[in-house]
Amino acid sequence: MFSKLTKGLMASTVAASALIAGGAASADDMVALFLPENVNSRWEQQDAASFIAAMAELAPDVQVEVFNANNDTATQQRQAEQALTQGADVLVVIPIDGDSSAIIADTAAEEGVPTIAYDRMINSENTLVWIQADMHATGAAQAQHVVDNTESGDTLVLLRGSPTDPNAGVIADGQMSVLQPLFDSGERVFGYANWTPGWDPAIARRSMDQALTQLDNNVQGVVSSNDGNAGAAIAAMEEQGMAGTVPVSGLDCTVQAQQLMLLGLQTQCGWRPLHEMGQAAAAVAVRLLNDEAYDDLATAVVQNAIGSDVAFVPIDAYSAVGEEGVAYVIENDPSITRDMVCQGDAAETAFCQ
């Protein structure tokens, strides 16, 4: 199961931060947000949108600049240098690569500028704050869902995330915490696994095609690390007449994923309140601008891959399954409405009638 926080926690702390900020940050201040890519629509449509909206509420005079590196680490580094040259006072970075992005935090620190790692950890001693859910538990929930919907001796395929994304490895570790004992005992059969550079669905599709070919379609479950991979797996299985007979996990609960869930093609997705992540990042950024404490927001400390302590802002998470899961996400995600989900083939499902 996912770790769970009370839903009012982040809302109350963000509200408190608004009171503390009180407009103290000035028009001379600038916060830069760095997005990793535009393959996944969430970064611009949900994360960036909620961050910008929260900054406008908490510190309306502060300039917010948003950069998208389109999955190019060198571009992201140049964008960070550009932001620092322009006078950025706080960097909020979603790194493409947790290791190479360390230079961003290190360069910012040399200029006295703090770095917040958003969603993905930055492996630098100068990473000040990390905002994320429990991704190990996320992976464990994905794997457990597939296990619960398969039988002894069934063969599983694992479509992992981008090898440069620190979260992908943590998710995979969570999956294997459930699966490895079953593979060892023979309760489940390890059929195929591959990573997906850049979380590119086209690469995930090729991996799933390879898996089906190598296994002669003998696949009973797909442990997919995100919704893009899940959609790719489903498309590959549709060509083989298998879609809808195999449990498929995911992450993010995109509109497309929820439609696939209503159609019985994708069966699970991990959901995080991305609007709360954006709000939390804005709240911490404003505290940093005002040189104020943020330990009521960062309620824990974790270590990154180089062993440096990083203040951690934990975010709620939920494992959405079937129609009940879709209903939960629609109720709790302000960026997604029932009308958005009930389009196309999904509009004909009982849920949408």
Side-chain angles (χ1 to χ4, degrees):
M1 296 296 292
F2 283 90
S3 60
K4 199 75 171 167
L5 299 178
T6 54
K7 297 192 71 64
L9 173 61
M10 194 56 65
S12 64
T13 51
V14 170
S17 134
L19 293 174
I20 292 173
S26 74
D28 294 330
D29 294 324
M30 171 184 162
V31 175
L33 172 65
F34 300 89
L35 309 181
E37 38 89 351
N38 56 12
V39 173
N40 295 292
S41 61
R42 59 161 285 198
W43 300 120
E44 294 183 353
Q45 296 179 10
Q46 294 173 274
D47 299 271
S50 64
F51 178 79
I52 292 168
M55 286 298 301
E57 179 178 353
L58 297 178
D61 292 333
V62 172
Q63 179 183 357
V64 178
E65 294 289 341
V66 179
F67 301 82
N68 194 318
N70 295 317
N71 259 331
D72 187 304
T73 55
T75 295
Q76 191 167 65
Q77 291 172 10
R78 287 195 299 271
Q79 289 172 339
E81 292 170 0
Q82 176 185 346
L84 291 169
T85 300
Q86 292 175 352
D89 300 286
V90 178
L91 305 187
V92 181
V93 182
I94 308 167
I96 298 167
D97 184 324
D99 292 329
S100 65
S101 62
I103 192 172
I104 295 175
D106 294 345
T107 301
E110 290 175 1
E111 300 190 22
V113 175
T115 298
I116 300 169
Y118 181 100
D119 192 280
R120 303 171 180 175
M121 178 63 83
I122 300 172
N123 295 321
S124 163
E125 63 182 3
N126 293 306
T127 305
L128 190 65
V129 180
W130 182 40
I131 300 170
Q132 181 54 289
D134 185 341
M135 302 311 289
H136 188 278
T138 296
Q142 291 170 335
Q144 191 62 57
H145 167 78
V146 173
V147 168
D148 290 344
N149 289 277
T150 51
E151 299 178 353
S152 179
D154 280 351
T155 298
L156 308 184
V157 167
L158 284 69
L159 296 180
R160 294 169 172 152
S162 178
T164 61
D165 178 352
N167 285 338
V170 178
I171 292 170
D173 288 345
Q175 293 167 351
M176 295 308 292
S177 71
V178 173
L179 297 175
Q180 193 63 59
L182 299 177
F183 291 153
D184 292 343
S185 69
E187 281 292 304
R188 298 294 184 278
V189 177
F190 175 85
Y192 176 96
N194 205 3
W195 297 90
T196 309
W199 293 94
D200 188 338
I203 296 175
R205 172 62 190 271
R206 291 197 293 271
S207 293
M208 192 65 196
D209 285 337
Q210 291 171 5
L212 293 172
T213 298
Q214 291 179 19
L215 299 169
D216 195 23
N217 289 353
N218 180 28
V219 175
Q220 287 77 46
V222 178
V223 182
S224 163
S225 289
N226 84 335
D227 291 339
N229 286 3
I234 291 164
M237 290 190 291
E238 280 182 329
E239 287 195 356
Q240 305 301 319
M242 299 168 59
T245 67
V246 175
V248 181
S249 65
L251 173 66
D252 289 335
C253 292
T254 63
V255 169
Q256 181 186 32
Q258 292 182 68
Q259 291 170 338
L260 292 172
M261 289 171 68
L262 292 179
L263 295 169
L265 301 175
Q266 182 172 333
T267 53
Q268 185 267 1
C269 64
W271 177 79
R272 294 160 294 169
L274 300 181
H275 60 291
E276 291 186 8
M277 288 183 67
Q279 291 166 0
V284 174
V286 171
R287 298 286 186 91
L288 292 172
L289 288 173
N290 294 327
D291 195 25
E292 294 167 340
Y294 51 87
D295 54 350
D296 57 323
L297 301 172
T299 56
V301 175
V302 296
Q303 284 193 334
N304 61 20
I306 64 168
S308 292
D309 288 343
V310 181
F312 178 48
V313 180
I315 301 297
D316 196 5
Y318 172 76
S319 180
V321 177
E323 287 188 4
E324 181 181 349
V326 171
Y328 180 94
V329 173
I330 290 173
E331 179 181 355
N332 291 280
D333 191 329
S335 71
I336 296 176
T337 66
R338 187 184 186 90
D339 287 343
M340 292 168 63
V341 174
C342 291
Q343 298 290 328
D345 292 341
E348 304 303 318
T349 64
F351 178 88
C352 293
Q353 297 301 307

